[in-house]
Amino acid sequence: MTSVHSEEKILTVYAICERLIAMEQLLSILYCRDVFHDFRKPVEVMYPHLAATYHSAIRRPMELGTLLLKVRKHEVLTIHELRTSLQLVHNNALHFNEGILRCCVLALAKIFPVLYDLYMIVMYCYFRSSTNGSNV
């Protein structure tokens, strides 16, 4: 092997190591953020009472802890693989919580007109009182 090929191989290995470090750092940041608390460990660990239901609905479970371990074990090597796995976490959450999300959206749709009406009444009363107060 020539020195040029050896140097290219070293640069390639170096680039892969840099990418793995960056992916691990990204996952570590996500893992530590409170907003991602529910995605740190498998459902059966976080919510044992939901495990059977979850596994009947989700074919390929994935969460941040497993993904971080896969990066550390070099089972996930590319940005594409990382993105695909993160998308799987996202899609699983949407699929499993679909009914809950639909209920929330329907509840908001029912509540919003009431809140809007209340807001309009408050604003009407405020402007009416401020207009009447200026005439006195």
Side-chain angles (χ1 to χ4, degrees):
M1 183 185 306
T2 66
S3 65
V4 172
H5 292 296
S6 296
E7 193 172 308
E8 286 177 3
K9 187 174 182 178
I10 289 169
L11 288 174
T12 302
V13 170
Y14 179 76
I16 291 170
C17 289
E18 287 291 313
R19 183 173 56 235
L20 287 171
I21 290 168
M23 291 186 337
E24 185 175 341
Q25 288 174 339
L26 171 69
L27 287 171
S28 295
I29 290 167
L30 294 176
Y31 188 91
C32 292
R33 303 278 314 244
D34 286 339
V35 73
F36 296 111
H37 177 268
D38 292 333
F39 304 100
R40 290 179 184 162
K41 296 177 184 173
V43 168
E44 57 270 10
V45 174
M46 297 293 288
Y47 304 100
H49 62 285
L50 294 176
T53 306
Y54 182 80
H55 288 292
S56 68
I58 302 300
R59 288 183 294 146
R60 292 181 26 207
M62 180 57 66
E63 88 299 321
L64 294 175
T66 298
L67 188 50
L68 184 57
L69 188 61
K70 285 182 171 214
V71 169
R72 288 179 177 161
K73 288 179 164 183
H74 302 166
E75 294 173 11
V76 173
L77 294 172
T78 67
I79 300 297
H80 176 74
E81 290 172 330
L82 178 66
R83 184 177 184 276
T84 301
S85 295
L86 286 171
Q87 190 68 43
L88 181 61
V89 173
H90 175 259
N91 290 343
N92 287 349
L94 288 178
H95 179 70
F96 185 70
N97 294 298
E98 179 179 38
I100 295 168
L101 292 173
R102 189 175 295 124
C103 289
C104 291
V105 168
L106 290 174
L108 286 173
K110 289 178 183 177
I111 291 171
F112 181 76
V114 174
L115 293 176
Y116 180 76
D117 289 344
L118 288 173
Y119 170 76
M120 292 306 290
I121 290 168
V122 168
M123 294 309 291
Y124 172 77
C125 292
Y126 171 76
F127 284 117
R128 185 171 175 192
S129 66
S130 65
T131 305
N132 288 343
S134 63
N135 291 336
V136 173

